[in-house]
Amino acid sequence: MIPLRDDNPTTRPPIITILVIAACAVVFLLVQPSGRTSIFGKQAESDTAFTVQHAAIPCEVAQGRPLHIDELRNTFQANDADACNAADHSPSGFPGKQVYLALVVSMFMHAGWLHIGGNMLFFWIFGNNIEDEMGHVLFLVFYFVGGIVASLGHVLADPSSTVPVVGASGAIAAVMGAYLVLFPKARVQSLIIIPPIVLFRRVAAWILLGVWFLTQFAVDPSSGVAWVAHVTGFAFGVVVGLLMRATTNRRRSPVPVYG
């Protein structure tokens, strides 16, 4: 199921949601080599080198240092996804890299048009309502903390991985988790594809988000999808949503269920 829009109006403009979407678009189109090549049609510097230099990598975060040259060779030439080697004494590939800051930088990087398009679609549909509930500043903090928590979940699941992780999916999963708790009955216009059938239906948010969450456990481990980050971010969002529901007075009545 692909969400297209929700029947859940907001009371204030989603300033942070719009700014985050704009920032991700600018980074993808004007900063990342792959994005610059796609928009200008010119050859850019190695996208792989740029990604390694700026994106979060589990091994680097777990060990607090950039990958060594031999680890990079084993990863990208020998296709060893778990090339982390604490005993490797070869020089660092990017010695100036701030490996913890990369956890945040990665949230603005994407692997392609489908990746960024899907992420921003989900974020726009669900993010504006959570921003409306939290307020701009708290929502911004929630978004970044959710993304970092999601990335750390991925790191803990595979600390020896030397494959870069990019995308805002973990942070957006946190937003979706909070939406599930705060607006479970909101109706979401969705594209439902069951080959060869294609349907447009309005479904309750809890159904769409519940299906999305369950499908994460069916992701092929070799697909490159950081499903553990998605699950971790979603769980974080659910916890925050439950805390909000338990400790604050909701400004709006629950969204009605339409027949």
Side-chain angles (χ1 to χ4, degrees):
M1 287 188 285
I2 302 173
L4 302 177
R5 65 178 180 84
D6 64 344
D7 298 328
N8 196 0
T10 58
T11 61
R12 49 185 156 189
I15 297 173
I16 300 302
T17 301
I18 292 172
L19 288 176
V20 169
I21 291 174
C24 288
V26 168
V27 170
F28 179 71
L29 294 174
L30 302 178
V31 179
Q32 286 186 247
S34 57
R36 295 208 307 274
T37 300
S38 64
I39 192 171
F40 295 122
K42 299 178 180 179
Q43 184 63 38
E45 66 263 27
S46 170
D47 186 42
T48 299
F50 180 90
T51 301
V52 170
Q53 186 174 4
H54 296 94
I57 299 175
C59 174
E60 293 184 334
V61 175
Q63 298 202 13
R65 48 86 180 172
L67 292 182
H68 297 140
I69 290 178
D70 286 347
E71 290 172 316
L72 292 171
R73 287 180 180 143
N74 289 334
T75 302
F76 298 102
Q77 294 180 7
N79 296 319
D80 181 2
D82 294 295
C84 194
N85 182 7
D88 183 355
H89 297 297
S90 62
S92 294
F94 298 97
K97 180 178 180 179
Q98 301 297 316
V99 298
Y100 300 122
L101 180 61
L103 289 168
V104 175
V105 175
S106 284
M107 295 165 61
F108 294 94
M109 299 171 63
H110 288 84
W113 285 99
L114 185 61
H115 190 202
I116 190 173
N119 274 355
M120 296 304 103
L121 173 64
F122 274 74
F123 186 50
W124 171 250
I125 292 172
F126 301 114
N128 59 349
N129 293 108
I130 303 304
E131 180 177 353
D132 196 36
E133 286 293 310
M134 291 184 171
H136 306 308
V137 175
L138 184 58
F139 177 69
L140 182 63
V141 173
F142 167 72
Y143 178 83
F144 281 114
V145 173
I148 293 171
V149 168
S151 295
L152 291 177
H154 178 74
V155 171
L156 289 173
D158 191 4
S160 64
S161 173
T162 48
V163 178
V165 182
V166 298
S169 304
I172 296 170
V175 171
M176 293 162 62
Y179 193 102
L180 174 65
V181 173
L182 299 176
F183 304 104
K185 296 181 179 180
R187 307 298 279 190
V188 183
Q189 182 70 40
S190 305
L191 174 63
I192 303 173
I193 304 175
I194 308 175
I197 301 173
V198 177
L199 302 172
F200 290 92
R201 290 289 187 272
R202 290 162 73 231
V203 300
W206 73 267
I207 296 177
L208 186 147
L209 295 174
V211 169
W212 177 89
F213 180 75
L214 292 175
T215 58
Q216 300 309 302
F217 296 95
V219 171
D220 182 354
S222 64
S223 65
V225 176
W227 69 272
V228 174
H230 298 172
V231 170
T232 305
F234 192 88
F236 173 79
V238 167
V239 171
V240 172
L242 290 172
L243 290 173
M244 287 182 62
R245 196 169 69 178
T247 60
T248 62
N249 293 320
R250 300 294 301 283
R251 291 181 294 103
R252 291 183 287 152
S253 59
V255 177
V257 179
Y258 298 92

